[in-house]
């Protein structure tokens, strides 16, 4: 199964009250992005929080999803912002309780654990939305439209950030299923697989594992497509100084550069897009639409490429990493 976008039996009426949403896992991304995005999205309201970590003043708070479901206020949907290793079980519980489910990226700790959730959502007539926040960046759709009509020559990706700044003390990211540097790197792959006109496949991977960790700190990857397009990607968690979230596409009609994770787009140096980041508002608008239409949206392709990198990658040990 690669992509599912299908109507379920339970389409909502336009005039229904706001979707009552609970956030599960109230860590960095829930606080930084989900809360403000929900607050500014019509049709959805934050109604409860379940997390080990503590909640938000004025919002009913529960330690676990089970407590929330048994003792909390009525909710219609959950946004699972927990680490990927615990999300599948939470999604199963939430769907069994009749809730719509939004999954943070990556959708799971394995590729195959998602298909049963898709089937469960379909049977229950509930929405399952596997989000890729970077696909909502403002440069993505214009880049896709530009590249759809061009001859492509080469793609170069540099996705390099300082893990100590962006993931301070997040032990789960270094555990099996935490993905290491692919946690941000998968964002680049989610954009790439959205903007290129043809499917791509991995041809070579080098993965650098800290001697004391179970997930890579850096990855050097080559991909191609059926036209022989050369795609080279470098992901690195050890970047200090300026951070890079850039995708450069050489075409027969000049060079397209998507930078700052998709906030900016330029063609031969001329800016085409430069917009304040609003990825999570895009996510919540889409979630409201999907629920209203009785649909699910689950694309596993970026996660499949990461799984391929773990399968094909040559591993090297590098110096231990300490937070
Ligand atoms: P985080 O700061 O470590 O937050 C994870 C939260 O989940 C913590 O509050 C954690 O509490 C809680 N949690 C863990 N297990 C739980 C459970 N079984 N039930 C309830 N709560 C539980 O991680 P994050 O950065 O927010 O990342 C979470 C997800 O969002 C990841 O998949 C990540 O890829 C994605 N994401 C992160 C960013 C970012 O910039 N940080 C950006 C986009 C997407 P305890 O710590 O007490 O266990």
């Amino acid at each position: 199964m690669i992509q599912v976008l299908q109507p379920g039996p339970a389409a909502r009426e336009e005039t229904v009250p706001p979707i009552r949403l609970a956030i599960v896992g109230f860590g960095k991304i829930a606080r930084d992005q989900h809360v403000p995005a929900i607050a500014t999205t019509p049709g959805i309201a934050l109604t409860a929080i379940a997390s080990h970590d503590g909640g938000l003043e004025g919002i009913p708070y529960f330690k676990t999803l089970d407590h929330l479901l048994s003792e909390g206020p009525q909710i219609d949907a959950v946004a699972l912002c927990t680490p990927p290793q615990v999300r599948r079980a939470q999604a199963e519980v939430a769907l069994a309780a009749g809730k719509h489910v939004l999954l943070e990226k990556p959708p799971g700790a394995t590729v195959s654990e998602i298909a049963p959730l898709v089937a469960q959502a379909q049977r229950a007539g509930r929405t399952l939305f596997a989000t890729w926040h970077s696909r909502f960046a403002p440069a993505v759709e214009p880049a896709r439209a530009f590249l759809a009509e061009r001859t492509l020559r080469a793609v170069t990706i540099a996705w390099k950030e300082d893990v100590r700044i962006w993931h301070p003390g997040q032990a789960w990211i270094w555990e099996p299923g935490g993905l290491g540097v692919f946690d941000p790197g998968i964002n680049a792959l989610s954009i790439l697989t959205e903007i290129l006109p043809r499917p791509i496949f991995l041809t070579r991977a080098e993965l650098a594992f800290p001697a004391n960790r179970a997930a890579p700190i850096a990855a050097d990857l080559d991909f191609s497509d059926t036209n022989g397009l050369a795609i080279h990607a470098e992901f690195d968690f050890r970047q200090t100084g300026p951070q890079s979230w850039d995708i450069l596409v050489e075409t027969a009609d000049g060079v397209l550069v998507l930078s700052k994770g998709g906030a900016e787009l330029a063609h031969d140096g001329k800016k085409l897009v430069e917009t304040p980041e609003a990825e999570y508002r895009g996510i919540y608008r889409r979630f409201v639409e999907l629920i209203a239409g009785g649909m699910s949206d689950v694309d596993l392709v970026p996660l499949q490429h990461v799984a391929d990198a773990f399968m094909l990658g040559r591993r090297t040990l590098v110096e231990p990493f300490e937070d």
Side-chain angles (χ1 to χ4, degrees):
M1 183 215 40
I2 289 180
Q3 185 159 21
V4 175
L5 185 59
Q6 55 194 190
R12 292 168 66 97
E13 298 294 323
E14 280 297 317
T15 52
V16 292
I19 296 153
R20 296 164 295 183
L21 177 84
I23 292 179
V24 181
F26 205 57
K28 182 166 172 37
I29 199 62
R31 291 169 193 271
D32 291 358
Q33 297 289 349
H34 287 257
V35 168
I38 294 161
T40 52
T41 304
I44 195 156
L46 183 58
T47 306
I49 291 168
S51 186
H52 297 160
D53 251 5
L56 198 63
E57 206 180 327
I59 304 289
Y61 166 75
F62 304 85
K63 273 272 176 206
T64 67
L65 173 61
D66 287 337
H67 283 122
L68 164 64
L69 291 173
S70 59
E71 297 159 24
Q74 276 297 319
I75 55 165
D76 307 301
V78 295
L80 300 183
C81 303
T82 41
Q85 295 96 331
V86 301
R87 241 188 267 130
R88 189 213 66 79
Q90 293 175 330
E92 183 180 305
V93 166
L95 287 168
K99 312 306 174 195
H100 306 286
V101 172
L102 180 156
L103 300 170
E104 250 297 352
K105 49 69 45 169
T110 71
V111 181
S112 345
E113 70 188 26
I114 307 303
L117 296 177
V118 172
Q120 189 185 354
Q122 179 68 11
R123 280 194 308 273
R126 293 295 177 270
T127 291
L128 180 67
F129 182 21
T131 61
W132 296 108
H133 64 86
S134 292
R135 286 185 175 171
F136 290 88
V140 172
E141 177 50 29
R144 189 203 60 74
F146 181 94
L147 296 175
E149 296 167 6
R150 299 305 194 288
T151 302
L152 309 191
R153 304 251 195 257
V155 179
T156 310
I157 301 176
W159 222 258
K160 300 180 179 186
E161 64 181 47
D162 187 339
V163 66
R164 290 187 173 89
I165 294 176
W166 301 102
H167 304 278
Q170 291 182 350
W172 60 264
I173 219 166
W174 298 108
E175 291 299 315
L179 300 193
V181 76
F182 286 100
D183 177 81
I186 203 169
N187 298 334
L189 298 176
S190 73
I191 294 176
L192 189 69
T193 50
E194 183 77 6
I195 65 176
L196 290 186
R198 279 175 297 281
I200 61 167
F201 46 86
L202 187 75
T203 57
R204 183 195 64 89
E206 306 274 341
L207 309 180
F209 281 72
N212 60 341
R213 301 289 182 168
I217 197 164
D220 191 280
L221 311 163
D222 286 325
F223 297 86
S224 193
D225 69 2
T226 50
N227 280 13
L229 180 66
I231 302 168
H232 182 236
E234 290 179 24
F235 301 159
D236 206 321
F237 252 164
R238 299 165 297 192
Q239 181 85 344
T240 54
Q243 310 282 289
S244 315
W245 298 284
D246 303 325
I247 299 177
L248 186 150
V249 187
E250 294 167 50
T251 79
D253 301 304
V255 178
L256 192 75
V257 179
L258 184 151
S259 52
K260 298 188 178 170
E264 293 183 9
L265 188 68
H267 176 222
D268 282 345
K270 180 170 168 257
K271 281 192 178 158
L272 302 180
V273 171
E274 190 177 21
T275 316
E277 186 276 321
E279 296 174 10
Y280 279 80
R281 263 184 283 155
I283 283 179
Y284 277 101
R285 268 201 304 276
R286 178 85 175 128
F287 193 37
V288 171
E289 275 170 21
L290 288 170
I291 292 172
M295 293 184 290
S296 286
D297 183 352
V298 179
D299 179 10
L300 298 181
V301 168
L303 189 62
Q304 184 69 64
H305 289 309
V306 174
D308 284 355
F310 279 88
M311 186 153 51
L312 190 66
R314 183 180 299 280
R315 296 170 183 227
T316 53
L317 282 187
V318 296
E319 65 182 37
F321 174 82
E322 305 296 345
D323 270 319

